[in-house]
């Protein structure tokens, strides 16, 4: 009896040594949520994608890749999301670099930038339809300035979706880059200056290498946002043609054809392609220095 | 340095200004249109009226939609805080085998685009009969919300000095008292911030709600999408009026949120993998 | 690097939004000197250093290096080396590359960069650590890298901003000697910012004491130690006993009284009978003597060869002193001070 209690105590002690005790039960509810609402549906979806009504286990995938109209959604989506993500990150760097210090109105600026993110793509789409439309203010301004004679068509095509992704994605990328930049100890640049580095050298040799991992992360996040574009592709795009992105295909399969295996298969393909892009970027990132960026080390 | 950088500075500010002009034009044109009588090929509508708001309110049944939005958001916020905060406490304070894997697992639902996991999730929810009404909408919205609370709260708890808890224990407080008397008051600001962030995200969340909502459980943003994609049936201005109502709601939340948190936090937490 | 004969600061002033951080600093630095800027935090010493480095623009004043005006030049054009308080090592570059960075900026030939970097690494004894990242080094090693990075360019002037403040006591003593050794061995000219008077006194050829952005005194360690210009400098230089008193007579000897004591002292500046003064005396100048005034021992601290004693006069004035033998708390003693060691500063006079 005593021996049993002793081993039990010893076991508990040994577990506690490794950091396992009853306090970990506090993790339970959250874990339960993630497993039942995220992990399980995910695997269920993968399972479902291999059980189409016809065509064997790979039937759903085959029907997606065999059909050029469906297969084309992949390139359409990448052709939208990669340039948008590059533009958003690329434009953010010089702007954030100029604004990394403190200045009056910085909080106001960041606040205004948050607005399009919180409004979301649906409202942005509605605004773009009004603003960029053939009789909208944008075309009117250009015509009255005699830059153009005919209204430029900027909605219900590739460019409408592109702009909507820039409007919501740029502030997102900018705010991320800005906070990565402010995480870099400013004395490092001062130190480089006292060692004789001009501003271009300071940026290229010190700031950029320290910022690069953050840029990779930002690129991934903006890419994910753009890759999963859905409402604006329907509303300001050309959802049957030029901007038939992969989420439209998935939604179409699931909710208009009620072909859940195919919808799941498309979701799986979508997830995989996205993971490949992210893995490529993060793989490149792992080659970079990713430790502390200054401060107390 | 200052002089040499001038042209670059002008370009940068120019790009920012151009972005803002377009942003204001975009929001402004929706607002102007929602108050306009008729607006065809002119700079401004032919006259102004508030009638579209009444029409939108009646035709789109906005009252029940607003009520649903409120209920869904309140439930999502409440549950995700209740579930997320204890978990973030453990993640912030303890090291145990598998901690990093768990952290990554909590990170995934935020990193994945809602559409990719939303479709299988909706399928599962339909299978068990949850989707099509509010339960499904709330459950679906919890998927990114619980991790979001965890990711917001973990660094917040990390910056509370653990010595405070030990000091309380040395003063004779038990675990429960440490939680109630010491931690809870310290956690309130963080929980408020996390709640408001989740609220903003839930009200603005389109994809998950769209995939799981039934006719009587649509939130404002989905109702807006539906009325837009069914354009032609109603006057454009009524849709604009609805968009303005949505914008107004979001802006009120945003102002509330910004009283509690820094703008950057609304976007994401910039935090490298913790060095544990 | 071109060596200068003289570096002159003329009326260097820096304001931050109406706040005077540094007012009218005049200072001439001779080649080879080790100058310490000393003062409590917020006194303007780091501002002065940053102005000198070019990291902060001046509000007024000029900086001359012989006949060249420096204050209009960018930091990277001044050719100074700087050691930062938190070291500011580039976290993504190895020790070797950190030290080589400045040489690469000068576009020197590769062979020379290698030779000089290796020499600098040997100078601070970091051969083993050359390929490591700064994050893998101890505080003392990081400090050495920071110094090597600053001196490898053979700068005309080395600026150090409280470089030892993040180190523990033992390491601080070692690095003090190390920095002084490098200063002499390399023939550097050094401006060193610190809030530690002992550090400043032991390292510097001349000290500049700052308070509230204004210079209080410039002088050699001996001058500051024995003849502080005002009571603030005295306070900083270890005059722990500062007693408010009133002048009774002046002339051959100056007599002051207050707190039940009547003492003879040496005035610093003009004093007249009836003036309020602050009488300052170091703990080590107060002695236990038969002919002194009475006091009661309250606290005794053992400090190696001697003991630090806190005693209270009959009127309740607290005094710090040193004693060779060990009195017990509660002992009645008599204390005396040499008139030359009791300095009388006009009360309230900051300048």
């Amino acid at each position: 009896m005593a021996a049993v209690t002793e081993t039990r105590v010893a076991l508990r002690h040994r577990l506690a040594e490794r950091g396992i005790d009853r306090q970990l039960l506090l993790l339970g509810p959250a874990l339960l949520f993630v497993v039942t609402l995220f992990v399980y549906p995910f695997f269920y979806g993968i399972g479902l994608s291999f059980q189409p009504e016809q065509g064997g286990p790979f039937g759903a995938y085959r029907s997606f890749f065999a059909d050029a109209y469906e297969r084309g959604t992949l390139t359409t989506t990448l052709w939208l999301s990669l340039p948008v993500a590059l533009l958003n990150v690329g434009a953010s760097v010089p702007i954030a670099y100029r604004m990394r210090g403190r200045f009056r109105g910085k909080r106001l600026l960041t606040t205004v930038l948050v607005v399009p993110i919180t409004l979301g793509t649906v409202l942005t789409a509605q605004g773009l339809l009004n603003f960029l439309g053939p009789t909208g203010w944008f075309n009117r301004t250009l015509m009255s300035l005699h830059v153009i004679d005919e209204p430029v068509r900027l909605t219900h095509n590739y460019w409408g979706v592109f702009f909507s992704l820039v409007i919501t994605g740029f502030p997102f990328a900018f705010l991320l880059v800005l906070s990565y930049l402010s995480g870099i100890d400013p004395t490092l640049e001062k130190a480089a200056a006292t060692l004789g580095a001009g501003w271009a050298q300071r940026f290229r040799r010190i700031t950029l290498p320290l910022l690069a991992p953050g840029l990779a992360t930002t690129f991934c996040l903006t890419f994910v946002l753009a890759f999963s574009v859905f409402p604006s592709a329907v509303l300001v795009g050309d959802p049957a043609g030029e901007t038939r992105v992969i989420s439209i295909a998935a939604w179409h399969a699931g909710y208009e054809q009620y072909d859940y295996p195919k919808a799941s298969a498309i979701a799986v393909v979508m997830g995989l392609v996205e993971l490949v892009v992210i893995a490529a970027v993060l793989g490149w990132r792992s080659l970079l220095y990713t430790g502390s960026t200054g401060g107390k080390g | 340095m200052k002089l040499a950088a001038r042209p670059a500075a002008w370009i940068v500010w120019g790009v920012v200004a151009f972005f803002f002009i377009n942003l204001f034009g975009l929001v402004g044109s929706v607002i102007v249109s929602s108050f306009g009588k008729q607006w065809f090929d002119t700079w401004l509508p032919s006259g102004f009226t508030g009638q579209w708001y009444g029409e939108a309110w009646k035709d789109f049944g906005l009252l029940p939609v607003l009520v649903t939005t409120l209920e869904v958001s309140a439930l999502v916020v409440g549950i995700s805080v209740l579930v997320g905060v204890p978990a973030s406490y453990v993640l912030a304070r303890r090291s145990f085998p598998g901690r990093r894997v768990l952290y990554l697992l909590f990170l995934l639902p935020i990193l994945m685009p809602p559409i990719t996991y939303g479709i299988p999730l909706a399928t599962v929810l339909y299978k068990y009969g949850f989707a099509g009404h509010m339960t499904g909408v709330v459950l679906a919205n919890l998927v990114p919300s619980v991790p979001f609370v965890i990711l917001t709260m973990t660094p917040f708890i990390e910056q509370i000095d653990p010595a405070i808890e030990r000091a309380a224990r040395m003063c004779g407080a038990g675990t429960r008292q440490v939680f109630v008397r010491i931690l809870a008051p310290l956690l309130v600001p963080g929980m408020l911030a996390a709640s408001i962030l989740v609220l903003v995200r839930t009200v603005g969340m389109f994809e998950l709600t769209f995939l799981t909502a039934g006719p009587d459980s649509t939130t404002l943003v989905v109702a807006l999408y539906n009325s837009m994609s069914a354009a032609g049936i109603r006057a454009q201005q009524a849709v604009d009026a609805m968009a303005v109502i949505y914008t107004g709601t979001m802006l009120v939340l945003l102002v509330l949120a910004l009283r509690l948190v820094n703008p950057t936090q609304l976007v994401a937490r910039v935090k490298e993998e913790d060095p544990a | 690097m071109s060596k200068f004969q003289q570096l002159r600061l003329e009326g260097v002033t820096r304001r931050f939004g109406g706040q005077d951080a540094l007012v009218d600093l005049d200072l001439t630095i001779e080649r080879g000197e080790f100058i310490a800027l000393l003062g409590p935090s917020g006194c303007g010493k780091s501002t002065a250093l940053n102005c000198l480095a070019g990291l902060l623009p001046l509000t007024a004043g000029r900086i001359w290096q012989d006949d060249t005006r420096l204050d209009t030049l960018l930091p990277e054009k001044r050719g100074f080396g700087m050691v930062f308080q938190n070291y500011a090592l580039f976290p993504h570059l190895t020790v070797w590359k950190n030290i080589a960075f400045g040489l690469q900026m000068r576009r020197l030939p590769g062979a020379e960069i290698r030779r000089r970097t290796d020499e600098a690494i040997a100078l601070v004894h970091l051969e083993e650590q050359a390929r490591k990242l700064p994050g893998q080094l101890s505080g003392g090693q990081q400090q050495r890298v920071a110094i090597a990075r600053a001196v490898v360019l053979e700068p005309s002037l080395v600026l150090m901003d409280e470089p030892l403040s993040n180190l523990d006591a033992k390491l601080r003593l070692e690095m003090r000697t190390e920095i002084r050794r490098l200063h002499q061995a390399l023939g550097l000219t050094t401006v060193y910012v610190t809030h530690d008077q002992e550090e400043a006194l032991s390292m510097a050829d001349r000290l500049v004491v700052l308070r509230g952005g204004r210079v209080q005194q410039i002088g050699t360690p001996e001058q500051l130690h024995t003849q502080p210009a005002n009571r603030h400098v005295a306070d900083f230089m270890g005059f722990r006993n500062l007693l408010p008193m009133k002048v009774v007579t002046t002339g051959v000897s100056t007599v002051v009284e207050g707190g039940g004591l009547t003492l003879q002292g040496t005035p610093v500046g003009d004093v007249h009978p009836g003036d309020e003064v602050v009488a300052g005396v170091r703990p080590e100048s107060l002695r236990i003597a038969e002919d002194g005034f009475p006091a009661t021992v309250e606290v005794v601290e053992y400090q190696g060869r001697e003991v630090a004693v806190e005693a209270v006069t009959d009127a309740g004035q607290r005094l710090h002193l040193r004693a060779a033998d060990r009195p017990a708390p509660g002992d009645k003693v008599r204390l005396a001070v040499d008139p030359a060691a009791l300095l009388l500063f006009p009360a309230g006079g900051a300048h």
Side-chain angles (χ1 to χ4, degrees), chain B residues 6 8 33 45 51 136 159 176 192 194 221 231 239 251:
Chain B
R6 280 271 156 81
S33 164
Q51 71 176 62
Q159 52 90 34
R176 213 175 61 87
L192 269 179
V221 64
V239 177
L251 285 182

Side-chain angles (χ1 to χ4, degrees), chain A residues 185 187-188 190-199 201-202 205-206 209-210 289 292-295, chain C residues 53 55 75-76 80 82 84 86 88-93 101-102 104-107 133 149-150 153:
Chain A
D185 183 359
T187 39
L188 293 178
K190 291 186 190 170
T194 62
L195 293 167
W199 77 266
Q201 283 167 312
R202 291 202 291 269
R205 304 274 310 249
I206 307 297
L210 290 173
Y289 169 84
S292 112
T293 47
Chain C
L55 298 170
E76 58 262 35
F80 294 168
M82 183 154 175
F84 292 80
N86 64 357
L89 299 179
F90 307 129
H92 59 303
L93 302 179
F101 184 85
Q104 288 166 347
M105 289 300 115
R106 307 258 146 110
R107 300 184 192 288
L133 290 175
R149 188 178 68 179
L153 297 170

Side-chain angles (χ1 to χ4, degrees), chain C residues 269-349:
Chain C
D270 255 5
V271 296
H272 305 285
D275 282 2
E276 304 276 344
V277 292
V278 174
V281 61
R282 290 174 186 283
E284 52 270 33
S285 309
L286 266 180
R287 42 193 172 80
I288 297 177
E290 285 305 314
D291 56 344
F293 53 87
T296 311
V297 173
E298 216 164 55
V299 183
V300 180
E301 282 171 36
Y302 177 69
Q303 289 188 337
R305 287 177 55 194
E306 49 181 18
V307 290
V309 178
E310 200 178 310
V312 184
T313 65
D314 295 348
Q317 176 68 52
R318 225 160 261 280
L319 294 169
H320 300 274
L321 63 142
R322 299 279 154 80
D325 52 348
R326 193 165 182 172
D331 281 3
K332 301 277 180 200
V333 290
R334 288 186 161 271
L335 303 175
V337 56
D338 191 4
L342 185 77
L343 302 182
L344 307 175
F345 304 103

